[in-house]
Amino acid sequence: MGSSRRADSSGFSHLDRPVQFLKGVGPKRSEALKKLNIGTARDLLYHVPRRYDDASTIQPIGSLKVGQDATAAGRVRSMGVIPTRSGLRIFQIVLQDETGYITCSWPGQPWLERKIREGDQILVTGPVKHFHGRQIHPREFTLISRADRNDEEEPAGTVFVTYPATEDVPQWVLRRIFRKNLDWLLEQAEEEEYLTPELRKEAGFLDLFEAFQRLHRPGSVSDPEEGRRRLAFDELFFLQLVQALARHRETEVQPGIVFERTNEFIRPLHQSLDFELTEAQARVLREIYQDMGAPRRMNRFLQGDVGSGKTLVALFSMLLAAESGYQSVLMAPTELLAEQHHKTIGELLERAEIPIDAVLLTGGRGAADKRKAIKALASEGGAVIGVGTHALIQEGVTFHRLGLVIVDEQHRFGVRQRMALAEGEAEAARPDVLVMSATPIPRSLALTLYGDLDLSLLDELPPGRTPVETVLNYPRERAQVYTRVEEELAQGRQGYVVFPLVEESEKSDLKAATQEYERLQTEVFTNRKLGLLHGQLKSSEKDEVMRAFRDGAIDLIVSTSVVEVGIDVPNATVMVIEHAERFGLSQLHQLRGRVGRSDTPSICILVAEPGEQARERLTVFCRTNDGFEVARADLQIRGQGDLFGAQQHGRDPLLRFADLRTDEPLLTRAREMARGIVSKDPELGDPDHARVRAILDTRHAERLKMWRVG
Ligand code: ADP
Ligand code: MG
């Protein structure tokens, strides 16, 4: 990235100094700044304004007219609290600029007397009313500078900035701190520049000095966006860099297995299927076969919509491994799913007359069964395919010749850790890895969370699927909803009623699944057999209910969202989702995927309170059955914060400046650059990369540890 003028590879920076030593801060204020997560000078630099007001929209006070919505700025000339006959106390000030003065009134806010002082410079926004002359009734105000501090006059910039502030560190204090320190902070930022002028020019990025300057001291309202873009790139770049290093370590450093395709097993499976693979399946399999056939380890992320045929893709991959004499494991998130996969795979192998064994290993099986499975996996000529849960990677489970690990995304890190241990033990433990996800996520989110993996998409459903009809009902229409459910049950079909919570909490009026289960059983579906499923049940109890449902002993399952994992009961054709507005769209899509699993038309009924926003979201959902489209809509509507969910580590948000809704081009560039650097200089030992290495080691240490790329 070019040895820049003052390269300092130690990573030391004045920005790591405690904020206390900056001008105008001191011990007391630095304590208060902690509430804003500002501990160091760097934190202060990164504490960027939350709002920018175009000063050209600030109107001269002399020209304000009654009826206008005005933004005005000036100094407080006088102030006081005025009691009214009705007992209401009104805080009033007279605000003056070069063109005149005007009264500002805050009815019912006498306490403002303690906040504002005569001589303060403030900015107000609100309607101009006629009341003993002209008055502004501010909706908002910002204290720009304090009167009694001998502060230099706020420079008459063209953009007013408003920082996130607290009671103890109000706006004017922050502004004053920045006035005194910004020049120094910007100089320090310049020292940390890691992109060469050439690279910046090519990508159209500002340098760090300029970027922060435009965020803290914008010259125009478009400046902050340019600054943000640079910082967004930085955070995406370092995230991608860590992942590129992880990818390098896992796929390149240790040689992988070169699987050779003989078609011994793959062909019979093909021939035994009574359908063609979808184009997406064929494409994804080509990607997988290519990875597996190459000397580097596969590290691939397979995303596919509900019902897109992931299991079959998994099986073909395992057969390729088997053709070279290697074992595979397929790890599912729950026992029931593991059982289901095991059964499906067993049937497919049997039908194709492929002479290999698949064993099931889950925690819930009997000790003798477990021992048998473990033995089969460990011995030559034993099991070629292991299907199971976490139990597969527990202590004491060894493999004769493991070549491929297929794992649910939830277990990604656990499997890595376990495999890292195995690497210490045995030479041969270098299996290829395929991570599968049950819920589609938008590409930008996938690249952010799984940047270390290569992406494969199953973005096509097998032909002949009838899309699930999805409708939206109000709670008052519940009687009709039940009638509709009963129609399905009367035809021998099954269904689900899903609730968001288990226990009725005081704060919410959510109907607890438990209560509803009893009510539905005793008052509504009296002739049907209902089952109850909720998060408080032990997993063995849950599995018991689901097994009974699968075997047809239960007609209708009343459940909290625990049902969402990939349960496959094709006879289930109706689903009711209560309080649908409380679920994210992707979660709704997962739930909906429990029906529509045969050629019989299915229906999904959302019951939601009236409410504009929620209904708009749900209407989008009713219109499409495409999981990727649902995921995109979810990201658009909810933003990325929610979607990161459990993936967040520590108190810092994963991304502060980048917005995955709009920054995909930036992300792609960051990824290309990160991968480019790692492929040329994986140790980052080149003097050109000293700055990058230093930033990584000092500011991303925790993340490096998490990805085990120290
Ligand atoms: P996923 O795990 O992606 O939700 P599954 O692997 O369970 O989907 O597949 C759903 C169903 O579709 C299974 O019954 C499977 O046999 C069937 N299936 C898979 N691929 C095809 C295909 N190409 N054509 C028709 N049916 C398919
Ligand atoms: Mg390989």
Side-chain angles (χ1 to χ4, degrees):
M1 318 223 94
S3 28
S4 80
R5 303 180 271 135
R6 283 164 292 185
D8 179 355
S9 56
S10 72
F12 171 79
S13 164
H14 290 295
L15 288 175
D16 294 318
R17 279 195 207 167
V19 71
Q20 177 178 345
F21 301 112
L22 265 59
K23 285 183 206 151
V25 182
K28 195 164 143 253
R29 203 137 263 165
S30 80
E31 217 22 64
L33 281 166
K34 279 189 187 147
K35 281 213 195 86
L36 286 167
N37 285 333
I38 299 173
T40 63
R42 183 191 316 284
D43 296 337
L44 187 65
L45 181 64
Y46 278 86
H47 190 73
V48 302
R50 64 172 167 80
R51 216 184 96 183
Y52 297 90
D53 285 291
D54 187 349
S56 67
T57 63
I58 293 177
Q59 292 138 302
I61 289 176
S63 72
L64 295 178
K65 302 247 170 359
V66 172
Q68 245 181 335
D69 202 63
T71 301
R75 286 206 179 270
V76 179
R77 283 309 165 211
S78 62
M79 52 180 268
V81 172
I82 301 165
T84 62
R85 252 171 282 163
S86 64
L88 184 71
R89 298 171 72 213
I90 302 176
F91 177 68
Q92 278 195 342
I93 63 169
V94 171
L95 192 67
Q96 184 182 31
D97 70 4
E98 316 83 78
T99 66
Y101 58 85
I102 192 165
T103 304
C104 303
S105 290
W106 285 267
Q109 298 183 51
W111 50 269
L112 280 176
E113 196 177 20
R114 296 192 303 274
K115 301 265 158 193
I116 294 178
R117 296 179 207 162
E118 274 177 34
D120 285 352
Q121 205 184 354
I122 73 169
L123 173 79
V124 294
T125 336
V128 184
K129 302 198 171 175
H130 180 74
F131 205 78
H132 305 296
R134 297 175 312 159
Q135 276 195 0
I136 296 182
H137 288 201
R139 273 192 308 278
E140 276 191 79
F141 79 95
T142 306
L143 199 48
I144 300 167
S145 72
R146 244 337 179 198
D148 52 352
R149 294 274 171 170
N150 301 329
D151 276 353
E152 57 220 86
E153 191 84 0
E154 176 88 358
T158 50
V159 181
F160 275 103
V161 301
T162 307
Y163 288 98
T166 63
E167 180 85 8
D168 295 338
V169 195
Q171 199 56 229
W172 66 270
V173 170
L174 277 167
R175 300 170 66 96
R176 206 157 56 83
I177 293 174
F178 276 109
R179 243 189 341 266
K180 291 189 166 164
N181 295 287
L182 187 57
D183 287 328
W184 181 82
L185 288 169
L186 292 177
E187 268 173 50
Q188 305 311 311
E190 196 174 15
E191 305 263 330
E192 301 210 334
E193 183 58 76
Y194 66 94
L195 293 173
T196 57
E198 298 76 51
L199 271 171
R200 289 199 304 268
K201 188 149 176 262
E202 187 202 312
F205 292 133
L206 299 174
D207 63 37
L208 285 173
F209 183 101
E210 269 295 314
F212 282 110
Q213 163 112 311
R214 291 191 192 195
L215 281 160
H216 287 288
R217 199 190 274 153
S220 78
V221 279
S222 60
D223 273 2
E225 168 54 21
E226 285 181 60
R228 181 203 70 85
R229 199 169 156 267
R230 168 64 208 262
L231 299 191
F233 174 79
D234 286 359
E235 62 187 7
L236 292 170
F237 171 71
F238 282 102
L239 192 57
Q240 289 294 322
L241 188 61
V242 172
Q243 295 174 336
L245 288 167
R247 175 175 188 266
H248 179 84
R249 190 181 54 80
E250 288 181 6
T251 64
E252 310 279 353
V253 175
Q254 310 125 328
I257 304 157
V258 178
F259 295 96
E260 276 171 56
R261 182 168 166 186
T262 64
N263 278 328
E264 180 189 358
F265 303 133
I266 290 178
R267 184 171 301 128
L269 181 60
H270 263 295
Q271 286 168 346
S272 73
L273 296 176
D274 45 20
F275 50 75
E276 294 290 316
L277 293 185
T278 62
E279 260 173 55
Q281 281 171 320
R283 184 188 66 236
V284 165
L285 278 173
R286 274 197 303 276
E287 291 164 353
I288 292 173
Y289 290 165
Q290 190 170 11
D291 275 6
M292 289 180 70
R296 60 179 200 88
R297 284 173 69 183
M298 172 167 75
N299 211 13
R300 193 165 272 285
F301 181 51
L302 172 60
Q303 272 203 82
D305 206 344
V306 186
S308 58
K310 290 186 287 288
T311 316
L312 202 57
V313 169
L315 181 56
F316 272 114
S317 315
M318 295 193 283
L319 292 183
L320 176 60
E323 288 180 357
S324 290
Y326 282 93
Q327 293 172 297
S328 304
V329 295
L330 174 61
M331 244 175 87
T334 67
E335 302 221 339
L336 198 73
L337 274 178
E339 274 177 38
Q340 196 174 285
H341 283 321
H342 179 248
K343 183 161 169 276
T344 309
I345 286 170
E347 284 166 3
L348 287 164
L349 290 173
E350 199 178 308
R351 189 141 50 93
E353 295 176 12
I354 297 169
I356 62 182
D357 278 338
V359 295
L360 178 67
L361 182 59
T362 63
R365 304 196 74 199
D369 282 342
K370 271 196 268 193
R371 250 196 321 274
K372 227 172 105 191
I374 289 172
K375 196 166 160 230
L377 290 170
S379 55
E380 184 164 8
V384 173
I385 292 177
V387 181
T389 54
H390 221 81
L392 282 168
I393 52 166
Q394 301 295 265
E395 213 59 42
V397 179
T398 56
F399 296 90
H400 165 62
R401 206 170 180 228
L402 184 59
L404 172 66
V405 175
I406 303 181
V407 56
D408 187 86
E409 58 174 321
Q410 298 172 27
H411 290 139
R412 183 158 71 114
F413 286 106
V415 166
R416 280 216 173 125
Q417 265 148 27
R418 183 73 189 103
M419 283 193 339
L421 293 179
E423 272 162 25
E425 291 161 12
E427 249 299 286
R430 289 178 254 104
D432 279 9
V433 177
L434 182 65
V435 177
M436 295 211 292
S437 149
T439 320
I441 55 177
R443 190 182 128 85
S444 59
L445 192 60
L447 290 183
T448 302
L449 296 177
Y450 306 99
D452 57 324
L453 309 178
D454 297 305
L455 291 188
S456 280
L457 286 190
L458 273 184
D459 47 5
E460 183 188 352
L461 293 183
R465 295 277 166 84
T466 331
V468 178
E469 183 194 347
T470 308
V471 297
L472 185 52
N473 280 101
Y474 290 110
R476 60 178 149 77
E477 297 166 316
R478 205 168 267 125
Q480 285 153 253
V481 172
Y482 294 149
T483 309
R484 188 71 189 78
V485 174
E486 179 53 35
E487 275 171 29
E488 293 293 317
L489 300 185
Q491 293 177 64
R493 312 251 161 72
Q494 293 162 282
Y496 304 89
V497 179
V498 182
F499 289 86
L501 268 189
V502 163
E503 294 297 332
E504 186 142 19
S505 79
E506 284 180 358
K507 284 196 207 112
S508 73
D509 58 352
L510 295 185
K511 291 208 172 109
T514 332
Q515 280 178 19
E516 270 301 290
Y517 159 72
E518 276 159 24
R519 190 183 71 84
L520 290 173
Q521 179 69 87
T522 54
E523 294 171 27
V524 185
F525 301 103
T526 43
N527 294 326
R528 307 286 170 203
K529 179 84 185 83
L530 271 57
L532 175 64
L533 209 58
H534 60 74
Q536 253 68 26
L537 293 177
K538 284 202 235 85
S539 71
S540 59
E541 294 170 324
K542 275 185 222 162
D543 287 355
E544 205 174 305
V545 176
M546 277 316 296
R547 270 185 211 108
F549 186 61
R550 180 191 65 195
D551 300 339
I554 289 174
D555 303 306
L556 189 65
I557 282 207
V558 179
S559 164
T560 59
S561 41
V562 293
V563 78
E564 75 181 283
V565 286
I567 286 308
D568 189 13
V569 179
N571 191 43
T573 55
V574 59
M575 171 171 283
V576 178
I577 304 177
E578 294 276 357
H579 291 286
E581 75 278 3
R582 313 262 165 148
F583 292 93
L585 292 191
S586 295
Q587 206 184 359
L588 286 177
H589 185 66
Q590 260 300 312
L591 288 169
R592 176 169 63 181
R594 300 311 108 222
V595 295
R597 303 187 73 85
S598 67
D599 45 16
T600 317
S602 293
I603 181 164
C604 175
I605 307 170
L606 309 178
V607 180
E609 301 288 342
E612 277 308 309
Q613 254 190 326
R615 291 193 79 84
E616 189 194 316
R617 245 163 34 94
L618 296 175
T619 308
V620 171
F621 181 73
C622 289
R623 272 203 303 264
T624 180
N625 264 270
D626 177 341
F628 286 96
E629 209 175 311
V630 168
R632 275 193 298 274
D634 213 12
L635 178 62
Q636 285 302 335
I637 296 166
R638 287 201 299 166
Q640 61 207 23
D642 274 2
L643 297 182
F644 284 144
Q647 309 277 357
Q648 297 276 36
H649 294 273
R651 72 184 159 91
D652 292 331
L654 196 54
L655 299 173
R656 278 184 59 196
F657 296 99
D659 184 340
L660 295 180
R661 291 176 281 201
T662 50
D663 287 335
E664 195 174 321
L666 219 48
L667 173 59
T668 305
R669 186 178 277 277
R671 178 177 166 96
E672 278 164 11
M673 204 157 108
R675 287 194 168 190
I677 289 174
V678 171
S679 76
K680 277 194 268 141
D681 180 21
E683 301 297 321
L684 301 180
D686 190 320
D688 276 3
H689 300 144
R691 190 68 66 81
V692 172
R693 173 91 246 178
I695 293 173
L696 209 52
D697 288 343
T698 51
R699 282 153 61 191
H700 302 275
E702 208 171 302
R703 201 172 275 161
L704 286 173
K705 216 167 106 204
M706 183 181 122
W707 291 86
R708 305 196 317 108
V709 280

